[in-house]
Amino acid sequence: IAGITQAPTSQILAAGRRMTLRCTQDMRHNAMYWYRQDLGLGLRLIHYSNTAGTTGKGEVPDGYSVSRANTDDFPLTLASAVPSQTSVYFCASSRRNTGGRNTGELFFGEGSRLTVL
Amino acid sequence: AQKITQTQPGMFVQEKEAVTLDCTYDTSDPSYGLFWYKQPSSGEMIFLIYQGSYDQQNATEGRYSLNFQKARKSANLVISASQLGDSAMYFCAMREGPSNDYKLSFGAGTTVTVRA
């Protein structure tokens, strides 16, 4: 089934450890995003990429980095995890406007639940 | 300032009844889009409905309709004939601008529980 694959689905991590959450899409979407979901705060944008080779900071980028070496992959790295990074992380993608009606709808992966102790 | 405000943390609705979920937004951009997503207990995010700022009519998708009041900056979701499977968290979201930069801002969400 086409879509977005995230890995791992769940991880417990010691504080101070490095962690990379993987995200792969097979829809050839140009834009990709990382959000974190926290109770009472909804989803907040961490980093995004409008096209391969470019990235940008979202609302809560501190402590996270991303790369976009190709269209399909958009990994999120926590260089030194802290307990406040305990969250559910969603990767998403969207088509860029190539003419015609394009709402900008996001397609989401199933999420990665990360616990930092 | 919050771009998307959902003031109802949780709601109960009787099966087969209609329910309205409130969403207000804040933007100075004349071109924007509004979205509703559903997140069931399994955790996935499911796109429900979209309303563009220049759309003349309120969006409808099956049992979902969006009550778009542009002057009041509100985009309430109406679920008609509620079903037990509608129990979930619902998020309102907004895209600002007509550009290719499709970052969405999300509200805090509303949990809907449908009672039999």
Side-chain angles (χ1 to χ4, degrees):
Chain A
I1 297 176
I4 294 181
T5 302
Q6 291 185 234
T9 55
S10 181
Q11 182 76 44
I12 298 174
L13 188 65
R17 297 296 295 268
R18 180 183 180 90
M19 177 73 194
T20 295
L21 303 180
R22 300 183 298 279
C23 175
T24 300
Q25 56 113 348
D26 61 4
M27 297 176 283
R28 307 303 293 172
H29 285 172
N30 297 95
M32 297 187 75
Y33 313 84
W34 275 105
Y35 285 87
R36 60 176 289 174
Q37 181 181 7
D38 302 288
L39 191 63
L41 298 175
L43 280 76
R44 293 179 293 168
L45 183 65
I46 304 170
H47 284 288
Y48 66 96
S49 169
N50 283 337
T51 190
T54 69
T55 62
K57 293 182 179 180
E59 181 184 355
V60 288
D62 294 344
Y64 305 95
S65 64
V66 292
S67 62
R68 187 90 184 276
N70 56 62
T71 296
D72 299 340
D73 300 300
F74 191 45
L76 176 74
T77 297
L78 290 67
S80 179
V82 295
S84 61
Q85 292 176 312
T86 294
S87 188
V88 178
Y89 291 86
F90 284 97
C91 181
S93 70
S94 68
R95 285 187 300 118
R96 296 190 71 186
N97 195 351
T98 56
R101 181 175 174 86
N102 180 11
T103 68
E105 172 196 348
L106 294 188
F107 295 80
F108 284 88
E110 298 205 347
S112 296
R113 182 175 295 275
L114 183 65
T115 302
V116 183
L117 301 176
Chain B
Q2 285 278 43
K3 292 187 177 182
I4 295 286
T5 302
Q6 296 180 254
T7 57
Q8 307 150 310
M11 301 183 69
F12 290 94
V13 60
Q14 204 64 33
E15 196 177 12
K16 301 180 185 177
E17 302 268 314
V19 62
T20 298
L21 308 184
D22 294 340
C23 173
T24 57
Y25 59 91
D26 183 26
T27 182
S28 57
D29 199 314
S31 179
Y32 53 89
L34 297 155
F35 302 76
W36 279 92
Y37 281 84
K38 172 184 178 181
Q39 185 180 44
S41 59
S42 51
E44 72 268 32
M45 295 287 287
I46 302 167
F47 167 72
L48 294 178
I49 196 167
Y50 168 81
Q51 180 84 45
S53 59
Y54 294 122
D55 291 344
Q56 294 298 309
Q57 295 187 321
N58 286 347
T60 60
E61 290 286 348
R63 294 186 299 109
Y64 303 108
S65 60
L66 201 152
N67 184 1
F68 181 45
Q69 299 188 44
K70 198 169 182 177
R72 298 179 64 180
K73 293 189 175 180
S74 74
N76 298 341
L77 177 71
V78 179
I79 307 174
S80 62
S82 296
Q83 302 172 355
L84 295 178
D86 294 332
S87 293
M89 176 85 86
Y90 290 82
F91 292 99
C92 181
M94 177 175 65
R95 164 189 54 77
E96 293 176 275
S99 72
N100 288 329
D101 186 357
Y102 288 133
K103 297 176 287 184
L104 298 193
S105 300
F106 285 81
T110 296
T111 300
V112 172
T113 303
V114 181
R115 290 168 164 162

